[in-house]
Amino acid sequence: MTTPAAPAAEPVLYLDGVTVTFDGFRALNELSIVVEPGELRTIIGPNGAGKTTMMDVITGKTKPDRGTVRFKQHDLTRLDEVRIANLGIGRKFQKPTVFDHLTVVENLELALKGERRPLIVLFARLDADERARIDEVLTLVGLTARARAPAGLLSHGQRQWLEIGMLLMQDPELLLIDEPVAGMTDHETHETAELLRRIAGERSVVVVEHDMEFVRALARRVTVLHEGRVLAEGPIDHVQNDPRVIEVYLGR
Amino acid sequence: MGGPITAALAGGRAGGRAGRSLWLIWAIALAAVPLLNKLPADSPFYLSDFVVSVTGKWICYAILALSIDLIWGYCGILSLGHGAFFALGGYAIGMHLMRMIGSRGVFGHPVLPDFMVFLNWPALPWYWHGFEYFVFAAFMALAVPGTLALVFGWLAFRSRITGVYFSIITQAMTYALMLAFFRNDMGFGGNNGFTGFKDLLGIPLQTPEMRSALYVASLLALMLSFLLCRFIVSSKLGRVLVAIRDAESRVRFLGYSVTAYKLFVFTLSAVLAGLAGALYVPQVGIINPGEFSPANSIEAVIWVAVGGRGTLSGAILGALAVNGAKSWLTTVAPDLWLFVLGGLFVAVTVVLPNGLIGLLRRRKRDEGNGQ
């Protein structure tokens, strides 16, 4: 389990009493979640439990009616999506979108932190540090052998890893990952669990997932959402045996 | 570990032997046509002045094709109004050529072009001033299309107008310009446009030397445009353009201003189209509002599709091949040409999505495998 170096380490993500209402429907209801530095947290819950809304609130896509949302010392409710992304929160959406006609390396190159203005990009060349960074991420996501392949030729699982790699190029402190293993083979699912465990530690990772096999493979702290609030939280074994969780989710 | 990645990013696919033979083709094309034109007229290798002019014209079309390919093939912006930028470049140089006629016009007025005398205009309109200088006219031939593209593109891209909607408004743009240039009171010669040019930089346009010089200038312009486009598409900016073509919103999400990139490449493309038009008009000796006709722009897009969209040499090949076929067929069976052009477009879309270049590359690969 995560053992923060300093006992009073400031949490990376701090949600307290967050409420979001859509036309009278409470998507989030007094939601409170704390994620520590380097933690790998899994969020599960039935459809409509508020998982996606929670991600939207953290990334600034949705503004909460009330409650506290903090990333380290920053109040996220006051910032827009771009500012939040620049603070170091990366989000991977469900559907992988990589650039099919560019190679794996080129995809990572475009995602690299740095100058974005056209005339500067026109003359941009990778320096040694940047190449080393690309190599490091290639190794991490296990795509070194496919570095020069066009992304369009990758398998579904590899595309997901490439997209995670693109997020890593921006060097975020907190990664939000939405259903990474949907549509993956069992083998790919296990590889993905391995990958996320490797990534966590240096940075915090929050994964939303349906697939219980994958959640077990991650074997980390699990938060169960139900009707916009936390129903249970703890290690997977503990959560799986919670009678309330079994009733609303696992025991269907 | 830097090695393979650097190589993967260099995009130097045209290097080595293939690159050298490409340069040889350029050099031969540059030297051969003017030299063969110098031979005595009864020599079997003699190229007539007419042939020199026609090939010079095709080369201008190739520059236009290159400019379309840069935005369509690489960035996915399908402009069906690029003929407008070509025509504006042509009009700018046409204005200079009109001023150079001087008192040799039919009405013999020392300053006013014939059509203005005919319309009883007392003096030159303000926007005609400066065009008596070649350098100014040459600058305007690039600046006017560039400025129009900048303003038009800014309005369109900022509002995130993409795909077929963008194509439609570019058609509307060139159509509107055509109607405007048809009007006599615009001061651009109405439906007759400009013609009856005498000389450029003091040399008569009809002389073989001038024709050869224009041919060489066009080919050099094509070469430089090709090198510029190649530099762009193999840079990181080029990869951003391809990424915009593949998944625009994802590029925006990575923090790039898609609008700025599109604006940059669209404006540059319009400047290249203007350059093509400016070289074209002295060689054909006429420019009129028909150059703005929407069909012209569509035809230019077909050249690119036939040659191979998304490859620079494909665009050049397409422009030369289609116009070569057109020249031949319009003498053999003039009524058939439009059917052939339409059929070509359908055939390429269905059978040859990568155009002639795709076909050549496939054949080369098959040969490679056979050995």
Side-chain angles (χ1 to χ4, degrees):
Chain A
M1 287 263 83
T2 50
T3 43
E10 187 189 19
V12 166
L13 186 67
Y14 178 87
L15 272 68
D16 189 35
V18 176
T19 299
V20 173
T21 317
F22 296 124
D23 294 332
F25 169 72
R26 286 203 163 187
L28 293 182
N29 189 2
E30 300 288 327
L31 177 71
S32 301
I33 286 179
V34 176
V35 178
E36 303 293 339
E39 189 180 350
L40 169 53
R41 173 72 62 92
T42 317
I43 313 270
I44 61 173
N47 282 332
K51 302 183 299 271
T52 303
T53 310
M54 184 196 78
M55 299 283 229
D56 288 346
V57 166
I58 298 168
T59 52
K61 199 175 166 190
T62 303
K63 293 290 166 208
D65 300 340
R66 56 172 191 277
T68 310
V69 184
R70 280 218 308 269
F71 172 66
K72 298 188 291 180
Q73 69 278 27
H74 304 282
D75 179 359
L76 297 184
T77 57
R78 291 163 180 275
L79 301 174
D80 64 16
E81 284 180 273
V82 178
R83 295 278 294 280
I84 292 174
N86 289 337
L87 280 179
I89 298 182
R91 179 177 188 181
K92 200 197 98 41
F93 290 92
Q94 239 168 297
K95 193 170 150 273
T97 34
V98 295
F99 306 120
D100 285 350
H101 290 87
L102 297 177
T103 65
V104 169
V105 167
E106 289 169 342
N107 268 275
L108 295 177
E109 183 206 14
L110 291 197
L112 195 68
K113 242 184 177 176
E115 189 56 60
R116 293 292 194 246
R117 279 172 293 177
L119 288 176
I120 295 171
V121 169
L122 179 59
F123 298 100
R125 293 284 175 272
L126 288 176
D127 61 30
D129 286 352
E130 291 171 334
R131 275 196 218 116
R133 177 95 191 103
I134 290 177
D135 272 334
E136 187 190 320
V137 169
L138 271 178
T139 314
L140 193 61
V141 298
L143 290 174
T144 308
R146 313 244 30 199
R148 296 186 66 173
L153 297 183
L154 298 181
S155 72
H156 174 72
Q158 289 170 328
R159 289 166 71 87
Q160 295 277 19
W161 301 332
L162 174 56
E163 189 161 352
I164 291 172
M166 288 167 77
L167 278 181
L168 291 174
M169 292 310 297
Q170 290 166 302
D171 204 17
E173 269 186 75
L174 174 64
L175 266 172
L176 306 174
I177 300 183
D178 212 347
E179 301 200 23
V181 300
M184 279 193 186
T185 63
D186 288 352
H187 178 69
E188 287 173 333
T189 300
H190 271 93
E191 292 271 304
T192 306
E194 273 301 306
L195 168 62
L196 293 182
R197 281 171 23 173
R198 279 199 301 271
I199 293 171
E202 270 180 55
R203 43 195 117 236
S204 311
V205 181
V206 174
V207 186
V208 164
E209 189 49 74
H210 273 302
D211 185 318
M212 288 312 292
E213 193 58 40
F214 176 69
V215 176
R216 265 183 224 106
L218 284 176
R220 296 293 170 91
R221 199 174 172 82
V222 175
T223 300
V224 185
L225 292 192
H226 179 54
E227 292 176 348
R229 64 169 81 215
V230 175
L231 184 69
E233 197 168 279
I236 180 74
D237 296 333
H238 168 82
V239 165
Q240 268 184 304
N241 295 323
D242 188 314
R244 291 170 305 168
V245 175
I246 293 170
E247 190 190 326
V248 305
Y249 188 54
L250 299 170
R252 273 180 297 173
Chain B
M1 272 309 281
I5 287 170
T6 321
L9 285 169
R13 284 159 212 128
R17 193 176 301 168
R20 234 170 296 147
S21 60
L22 205 65
W23 283 114
L24 202 64
I25 294 176
W26 281 112
I28 291 172
L30 194 59
V33 171
L35 284 179
L36 294 180
N37 179 239
K38 284 270 177 236
L39 291 173
D42 53 358
S43 159
F45 300 107
Y46 170 72
L47 284 182
S48 69
D49 295 352
F50 174 73
V51 173
V52 175
S53 270
V54 167
T55 37
K57 199 175 93 173
W58 293 348
I59 288 167
C60 296
Y61 287 150
I63 300 175
L64 176 61
L66 208 52
S67 78
I68 292 174
D69 194 29
L70 182 65
I71 53 166
W72 184 37
Y74 289 89
C75 197
I77 303 168
L78 175 55
S79 164
L80 293 179
H82 247 50
F85 303 124
F86 181 85
L88 286 172
Y91 264 97
I93 218 72
M95 286 164 83
H96 174 68
L97 294 170
M98 288 305 271
R99 292 299 310 274
M100 289 300 101
I101 295 174
S103 56
R104 290 171 289 175
V106 175
F107 294 110
H109 194 285
V111 177
L112 292 189
D114 279 347
F115 74 89
M116 290 187 194
V117 181
F118 185 74
L119 293 171
N120 285 323
W121 287 17
L124 215 55
W126 62 269
Y127 48 84
W128 270 77
H129 290 287
F131 280 92
E132 62 271 34
Y133 304 108
F134 173 76
V135 174
F136 179 81
F139 171 75
M140 292 308 265
L142 307 182
V144 171
T147 309
L148 175 65
L150 193 67
V151 173
F152 185 88
W154 185 72
L155 292 170
F157 299 140
R158 189 189 56 135
S159 318
R160 300 197 183 169
I161 294 172
T162 54
V164 68
Y165 301 101
F166 183 81
S167 306
I168 290 168
I169 61 167
T170 53
Q171 279 265 287
M173 175 194 74
T174 195
Y175 190 67
L177 281 169
M178 180 176 77
L179 296 182
F181 273 74
F182 262 126
R183 294 160 53 94
N184 278 330
D185 52 10
M186 276 285 282
F188 295 109
N191 63 340
N192 293 320
F194 306 147
T195 190
F197 306 138
K198 303 287 185 209
D199 46 29
L200 181 61
L201 298 171
I203 305 166
L205 286 170
Q206 304 305 326
T207 58
E209 288 72 26
M210 192 59 184
R211 285 173 188 269
S212 285
L214 285 168
Y215 168 86
V216 168
S218 305
L219 197 62
L220 284 176
L222 175 62
M223 246 157 118
L224 290 176
S225 307
F226 175 77
L227 289 176
L228 177 68
C229 290
R230 202 177 63 170
F231 172 70
I232 288 172
V233 302
S234 54
S235 74
K236 184 174 177 181
L237 184 136
R239 294 189 277 281
V240 176
L241 297 182
V242 171
I244 290 173
R245 185 189 72 189
D246 279 359
E248 185 173 324
S249 58
R250 186 73 176 85
V251 178
R252 203 171 278 128
F253 197 64
L254 283 178
Y256 294 91
S257 163
V258 170
T259 306
Y261 280 79
K262 284 185 168 178
L263 210 49
F264 169 79
V265 75
F266 189 62
T267 303
L268 181 73
S269 166
V271 169
L272 288 181
L275 172 70
L279 287 161
Y280 174 83
V281 166
Q283 298 187 71
V284 297
I286 184 168
I287 174 82
N288 61 37
E291 287 297 335
F292 285 105
S293 113
N296 279 21
S297 297
I298 293 174
E299 203 173 316
V301 167
I302 296 178
W303 307 335
V304 177
V306 168
R309 173 188 171 202
T311 56
L312 297 175
S313 36
I316 296 173
L317 183 69
L320 299 181
V322 176
N323 282 295
K326 183 181 182 178
S327 287
W328 173 71
L329 206 75
T330 42
T331 49
V332 181
D335 299 338
L336 280 181
W337 172 244
L338 280 180
F339 293 101
V340 171
L341 188 67
L344 210 53
F345 191 55
V346 174
V348 163
T349 312
V350 175
V351 191
L352 278 180
N354 296 319
L356 293 174
I357 278 284
L359 192 71
L360 290 176
R361 285 192 179 160
R362 201 159 59 201
R363 181 156 300 168
K364 209 175 217 173
R365 208 170 42 234
D366 291 347
E367 275 170 18
N369 293 340
Q371 282 168 357

